[in-house]
């Protein structure tokens, strides 16, 4: 069987151009047909192969969307029959070195490796109400119930909604705290910051960064007023400390549609939006979707 191979270092656009040129020179009909009907689009988000970052892994051409898993969890795949790309969320806990995913384009799973480099995140000291650090038994029990519920939300993996992954910033304001900060509350180390904080006045509208479905609305101990949006294929976004929510589970939102308002609910030091982005059940840096 005749086959056409391209160097793995080709960018997506150069690979597409090369494949289309081969078609013009008389490459086999299936390849020509794929090139003719596959639209070009810009691959997003930005790549940063560090803990809390994103790896974009080329999967090459295939007639059907390949299936990719990382640690047994499904991974987002975007593209078209000329070029598919896996968009892999890298956990903040990932150690530097080689990691891999399993990719299956219909001929059995294959191991695809990528390298994660180290990154040192800054540390932030915060003063909050003591009861939000040293939890009373009833508050701890509430937190455990809420965490179990939100883990169910985070496990969603629905059909892809759109290949446009460049996000609109959900609220106008100053970035008051970045992703990955090592946070110390009242002198006690806690988990790294899993999102981006944007300072804004209470009542400032919060808008959807991409089309999405509202899949959870709640008032949680740490996060306060919270909304989760599902954008498909394991891409979810979270909005916390809200003063008001103007949407309900099941609502479909378009890009730029207001659905809530900034507040200071939950464990906070002042009004702001905590914005989180999740891929394959891993919180990743929202800045990679907007910068």
């Amino acid at each position: 069987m005749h086959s056409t191979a391209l160097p793995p270092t080709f960018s997506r656009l150069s690979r597409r151009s090369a494949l289309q040129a081969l078609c013009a020179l008389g490459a086999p009909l299936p390849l020509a047909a794929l090139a003719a009907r596959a639209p070009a689009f810009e691959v997003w988000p930005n790549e940063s192969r560090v803990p809390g970052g994103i790896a974009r892994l080329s999967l090459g051409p295939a007639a059907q969307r390949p299936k990719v898993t990382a640690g047994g969890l499904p991974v987002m795949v975007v593209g078209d029959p000329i070029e598919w790309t896996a968009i892999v969320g890298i956990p903040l806990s990932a150690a530097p070195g080689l990691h891999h995913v399993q990719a299956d384009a219909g001929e059995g799973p294959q191991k695809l490796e990528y390298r994660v480099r180290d990154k040192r995140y800054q540390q932030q000291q915060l003063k909050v109400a003591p009861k939000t650090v040293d939890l009373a038994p009833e508050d701890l029990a509430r937190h455990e119930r809420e965490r179990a519920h939100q883990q169910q939300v985070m496990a969603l993996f629905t059909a892809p909604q759109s290949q446009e992954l460049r996000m609109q910033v959900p609220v106008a304001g100053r970035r008051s705290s970045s992703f990955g900060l090592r946070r110390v509350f009242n002198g006690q180390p806690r988990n790294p910051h899993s999102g981006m904080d944007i300072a804004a006045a209470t009542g400032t509208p919060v808008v959807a960064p991409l089309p999405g479905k509202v899949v959870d609305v709640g008032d949680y101990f740490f996060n306060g007023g919270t909304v989760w949006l599902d954008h498909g294929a394991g891409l979810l976004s979270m909005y916390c400390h809200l003063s008001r929510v103007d949407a309900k589970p099941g609502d479909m939102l378009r890009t730029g549609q207001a659905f809530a308002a900034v507040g200071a609910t939950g464990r906070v030091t002042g009004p702001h939006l905590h914005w989180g982005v999740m891929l394959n059940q891993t919180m990743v840096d929202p800045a990679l979707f907007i910068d």
Side-chain angles (χ1 to χ4, degrees), residues 18-36:
L19 284 170
Q20 289 174 330
L22 288 168
C23 293
L25 292 173
L29 180 59
L31 182 62
L34 293 177

Side-chain angles (χ1 to χ4, degrees), residues 1-6 19 22 27-28 31 61 107:
M1 179 181 293
H2 179 83
S3 63
T4 303
L6 292 172
L19 284 170
L22 288 168
L31 182 62
E107 300 178 354

Side-chain angles (χ1 to χ4, degrees), residues 164-248:
E164 174 54 59
L165 300 180
R166 186 167 189 169
M167 293 187 176
Q168 178 176 332
V169 180
V171 68
R174 174 181 58 86
R175 294 187 200 177
S176 56
S177 183
S178 297
F179 177 89
L181 281 175
R182 305 293 171 176
R183 313 192 82 174
V184 180
F185 288 94
N186 299 355
Q188 300 184 39
R190 289 295 187 266
N191 291 333
H193 193 216
S194 61
M196 175 191 295
D197 286 350
I198 304 175
T202 295
T204 304
V206 177
V207 304
L210 286 176
K213 180 180 180 180
V214 179
V215 290
D216 189 61
V217 175
D219 182 10
Y220 299 118
F221 184 78
F222 286 118
N223 294 340
T226 299
V227 172
W228 282 88
L229 302 183
D230 176 19
H231 307 288
L235 176 62
L236 294 97
S237 56
M238 176 179 65
Y239 309 83
C240 302
H241 311 308
L242 303 170
S243 62
R244 189 183 73 248
V245 175
D246 302 318
K248 63 184 183 303

Side-chain angles (χ1 to χ4, degrees), residues 126-136 139 143 185-186 188 190 221-222 266-269:
L126 294 168
K127 292 291 186 182
V128 296
K131 66 180 181 179
T132 64
V133 178
D134 301 309
L135 301 187
D139 292 332
H143 167 60
F185 288 94
N186 299 355
Q188 300 184 39
R190 289 295 187 266
F221 184 78
F222 286 118
R267 183 169 69 180
V268 294
T269 56

Side-chain angles (χ1 to χ4, degrees), residues 9 86 105 145 196:
T9 54
R145 290 194 304 270
M196 175 191 295

Side-chain angles (χ1 to χ4, degrees), residues 68-120:
V68 179
T69 59
L73 299 175
V75 168
M76 170 182 279
V77 175
V78 299
D80 55 48
I82 283 185
E83 176 71 14
W84 298 102
T85 301
I87 310 296
V88 186
I90 305 172
L92 267 169
S93 60
L98 282 179
H99 294 255
H100 72 276
V101 299
Q102 295 285 341
D104 188 349
E107 300 178 354
Q110 297 184 358
K111 185 177 178 180
L112 184 60
E113 292 185 332
Y114 63 98
R115 183 171 295 276
V116 174
R117 67 181 189 276
D118 195 14
K119 180 173 182 176
R120 300 290 181 180

